[in-house]
Amino acid sequence: MAANEVLLHIKDSFYFEVPKWLWPKNHETVQDFPDVWVRLDPQFQEWQAEQVYHTLSSEGIEGLPGEHDFLHNYEHWKHEEGNHGKPVQRYLAELAAPKSEGGDELAWAKNGLVIANAITAEQYKSSKEAKWAPEKIEGYNHALSGKILIPQLPGTKLRNLYEKEAGFAISKFMVIEVFVAIIIAIVFIAYSRRIAHGKLPKGTLWNMLDVFITFIRDQVAKANIHHGADKFVATLWSLFFFVLGCNLFGLIPWMGSPTGSISVTITLAVAVLFIGMIAGAKEFGVIGVWKNLVPSMDLPFVLAIFILPMMFVIEVMGMLIKHAVLGVRLLANMVAGHVVLLAVMGLAIAVQDQGYLLALPVMVIVLAGSILLSCLELFVAFLQAYVFALLAALFINAETHSH
């Protein structure tokens, strides 16, 4: 399995992938395909480029090259490294950008970019040029089979199945995060209602939940936050169970781990930073929380005017770096396990056509390795949730404790 294919299976997307036989596609015409897929088709991109040129030509835009040169240059640009499959508006955007400091952009490219953005896949579907060969339709049906596209809000435009063009796009990780939050809310509401009426947490589920809750309260919050730990217990519970839920979803086939996305882990780290600073501001005041970053030092005035500002800058940078590392380390641990597991499973694909003598022992090794790595990832999912909550408690204590 190629490295880019591995990354596509663990990165965020706008679809859920299941086995092809569970979600087959049997589109018969181009009109049946989703707009995001139509916009990726070379035939549509060529039609779009022609429409842009004809519109520019009819408006009498100065400096416009000949039609053959325009289309030829666009096709040549698409064959350059990193430009494969990009639509004409990306080409025009590059032409419209200044080539260098003080350089002139192409005025006609700016107009063409506006025109290209206004051309939709629906317009192409209703045109007489929208005809695909049966072989292309069959190939596209095979590629889309197994992909459950996530419905998007009106006004959202996807660039492809992994990137958005405009609007608010709902991704797979967003759906999983909301689902995890809903599960946590339902379980905790049920748990709180039981203990509110004096019932003991009896049963496997409630006893297991009580063990985690008690552990986070006593061994993470109260053991590491020296002042007002009770105020942060609910926050640490929420962080622990949310990170754990997102981690565990990465072990479910056809799902994914939101904590394998830098945007999710950094957002969690920023949330911890804001929680700590806001709590510190309540404790020491808006200015005092910043002054508290610098340890108290009995320095002569002459030295203090030089050393204290430097210490303040160093402490602020250190605080920001610590929280950035908090997000990056969670990301790295989750992604590393997925990449290794996919690489091991990729061995089976690599030898599937090599005959039974080679394929059979490799399959046994892959199966055993996948089971062991999955067990390791299960352990890591719990471990990283605990470590994240522990470090969050330490950082909150540093920002609410007088140095």
Side-chain angles (χ1 to χ4, degrees):
M1 184 179 293
N4 60 336
E5 293 176 344
V6 170
L7 293 177
L8 288 179
H9 278 80
I10 63 175
K11 71 180 293 188
D12 200 3
S13 63
F14 299 112
Y15 67 92
F16 286 90
E17 188 163 16
V18 299
K20 293 183 180 295
W21 58 269
L22 277 179
W23 197 263
K25 290 292 188 297
N26 297 298
H27 299 317
E28 297 180 356
T29 65
V30 60
Q31 287 76 18
D32 299 330
F33 284 87
D35 290 354
V36 61
W37 196 262
V38 172
R39 287 194 295 269
L40 296 173
D41 177 64
Q43 189 173 328
F44 165 78
Q45 293 179 351
E46 181 181 353
W47 173 85
Q48 185 185 35
E50 292 174 353
Q51 297 302 307
V52 169
Y53 183 86
H54 293 159
T55 304
L56 288 172
S57 179
S58 64
E59 294 178 356
I61 302 296
E62 295 184 0
L64 184 66
E67 181 176 4
H68 177 268
D69 292 337
F70 173 77
L71 297 176
H72 174 76
N73 291 338
Y74 169 53
E75 287 298 323
H76 178 75
W77 176 83
K78 285 208 299 183
H79 284 83
E80 295 178 1
E81 185 177 356
N83 294 334
H84 176 72
K86 290 184 177 180
V88 69
Q89 48 260 57
R90 303 284 291 278
Y91 170 66
L92 292 170
E94 186 173 304
L95 293 179
K99 301 300 181 292
S100 61
E101 186 176 351
D104 294 329
E105 65 275 4
L106 298 178
W108 63 265
K110 283 187 173 182
N111 295 330
L113 181 59
V114 175
I115 296 169
N117 288 330
I119 297 175
T120 65
E122 287 297 330
Q123 293 173 338
Y124 171 71
K125 289 179 180 180
S126 61
S127 68
K128 61 181 181 180
E129 289 86 355
K131 295 179 181 179
W132 287 353
E135 295 80 8
K136 175 185 284 190
I137 292 176
E138 181 182 357
Y140 283 174
N141 278 329
H142 179 77
L144 280 173
S145 292
K147 290 181 171 61
I148 305 175
L149 300 186
I150 299 172
Q152 300 297 327
L153 299 176
T156 300
K157 184 178 180 182
L158 302 181
R159 178 175 297 173
N160 50 50
L161 296 181
Y162 300 93
E163 300 174 289
K164 72 171 185 177
E165 189 75 44
F168 179 80
I170 302 173
S171 70
K172 175 176 67 174
F173 286 170
M174 290 181 186
V175 175
I176 293 174
E177 289 172 68
V178 171
F179 188 66
V180 169
I182 292 174
I183 292 176
I184 293 174
I186 292 174
V187 172
F188 268 88
I189 289 172
Y191 176 82
S192 63
R193 285 178 176 174
R194 289 178 67 90
I195 62 176
H197 292 88
K199 294 182 180 179
L200 294 176
K202 296 180 180 180
T204 303
L205 173 63
W206 303 117
N207 280 329
M208 181 178 66
L209 183 62
D210 191 62
V211 167
F212 283 107
I213 287 175
T214 305
F215 178 80
I216 297 298
R217 182 193 64 193
D218 296 338
Q219 302 301 321
V220 176
K222 293 186 176 181
N224 296 287
I225 301 178
H226 301 151
H227 180 67
D230 290 335
K231 296 184 295 184
F232 303 101
V233 170
T235 299
L236 295 176
W237 281 342
S238 300
L239 286 171
F240 173 80
F241 284 105
F242 182 77
V243 172
L244 176 62
C246 291
N247 290 350
L248 292 177
F249 259 88
L251 298 175
I252 301 176
W254 318 316
M255 289 295 175
S257 175
T259 44
S261 170
I262 186 66
S263 60
V264 175
T265 58
I266 288 296
T267 300
L268 290 171
V270 171
V272 173
L273 172 62
F274 275 93
I275 290 169
M277 293 303 291
I278 292 172
K282 290 182 177 180
E283 184 73 22
F284 306 111
V286 177
I287 298 177
V289 67
W290 295 100
K291 292 173 62 178
N292 186 57
L293 294 175
V294 181
S296 299
M297 294 181 290
D298 188 12
L299 297 173
F301 177 76
V302 177
L303 291 178
I305 60 175
F306 290 103
I307 293 179
L308 292 182
M310 288 190 295
M311 288 292 296
F312 176 76
V313 172
I314 291 172
E315 291 295 332
V316 170
M317 291 182 62
M319 178 183 65
L320 296 177
I321 291 172
K322 285 191 301 184
H323 286 82
V325 172
L326 176 65
V328 171
R329 71 177 307 283
L330 176 60
L331 168 75
N333 280 281
M334 299 314 300
V335 170
H338 298 330
V339 171
V340 174
L341 181 58
L342 286 169
V344 171
M345 295 174 66
L347 292 175
I349 300 175
V351 301
Q352 62 182 349
D353 297 326
Q354 302 301 317
Y356 287 106
L357 291 178
L358 177 61
L360 187 59
V362 172
M363 293 293 183
V364 173
I365 295 173
V366 169
L367 180 61
S370 298
I371 293 174
L372 292 175
L373 283 172
S374 295
C375 293
L376 178 61
E377 280 211 88
L378 180 62
F379 168 73
V380 170
F382 282 87
L383 176 64
Q384 291 307 315
Y386 161 70
V387 170
F388 192 92
L390 175 64
L391 292 177
L394 291 172
F395 294 166
I396 290 173
N397 177 67
E399 289 149 14
T400 57
H401 180 68
S402 179
H403 296 289

